Amino acid sequence: MVNARSKGRRGEREVIEEINKLLGITLEINYSQSYGGGHDLLGCPGYAIEVKRRKAVTQADLKNWWNQTVVQANKVNLLPCLWFRADRNDWKVCIPDMYAMKNKFFEIEDFNIASTMSTELWAAIMREEYDIGKSC
């Protein structure tokens, strides 16, 4: 049986490597998250990143994870950013849809505001919004 904490740590390291590859920035694991709470990865401009891995990912999982991500992001006044992956699948990223936020269609806690995208699209948004990372 796979230890969930070990799988989570491996997922965090995978995301750090992916972000470094996409943007050329290196994030750090938030080791205090186990004790005092907080988001999983530190050092991402504008976002509090939570990382989730599961054998299979359901819509209910995504809603629960989004809620957790929002709670953690609100603690540090950052936007929520959820990276998730089912086994043998690519990483996906959920962030608030900026158009929906600007027009106040939904509250940030409502999963309806979350846009799910590829890691490449997320990186393109990061390059545009925060002027960081490698050019395409």
Side-chain angles (χ1 to χ4, degrees):
M1 182 169 195
V2 177
N3 178 308
R5 183 171 283 167
S6 295
K7 190 173 194 174
R9 286 283 188 240
R10 279 194 311 274
E12 290 166 355
R13 287 190 297 271
E14 287 176 23
V15 170
I16 288 171
E17 289 174 21
E18 183 74 11
I19 290 173
N20 185 267
K21 182 178 79 176
L22 290 166
L23 296 174
I25 61 173
T26 302
L27 305 184
E28 297 177 15
I29 294 173
N30 180 4
Y31 288 106
S32 67
Q33 67 182 303
S34 299
Y35 306 106
H39 55 289
D40 293 335
L41 302 181
L42 302 173
C44 182
Y47 288 99
I49 298 178
E50 282 288 321
V51 178
K52 300 296 182 185
R53 283 219 24 221
R54 277 266 171 91
K55 183 176 183 176
V57 176
T58 67
Q59 193 70 8
D61 290 330
L62 289 174
K63 288 179 180 182
N64 288 334
W65 295 340
W66 181 253
N67 184 58
Q68 178 187 355
T69 304
V70 169
V71 167
Q72 298 305 334
N74 285 342
K75 288 180 182 178
V76 291
N77 201 30
L78 294 171
L79 290 172
C81 180
L82 170 63
W83 281 62
F84 68 94
R85 174 169 94 74
D87 289 355
R88 294 178 290 289
N89 283 283
D90 294 332
W91 285 100
K92 296 288 184 192
V93 183
C94 284
I95 59 173
D97 181 279
M98 295 305 160
Y99 184 82
M101 274 183 55
K102 179 180 133 190
N103 290 289
K104 300 180 180 164
F105 292 158
F106 301 99
E107 296 295 324
I108 193 93
E109 295 82 8
D110 190 328
F111 186 65
N112 286 308
I113 204 165
S115 290
T116 301
M117 62 193 67
S118 68
T119 59
E120 292 82 3
L121 177 56
W122 178 81
I125 291 168
M126 290 297 293
R127 285 190 290 272
E128 181 70 21
E129 291 294 315
Y130 297 97
D131 196 30
I132 60 168
K134 303 172 184 172
S135 61
C136 292

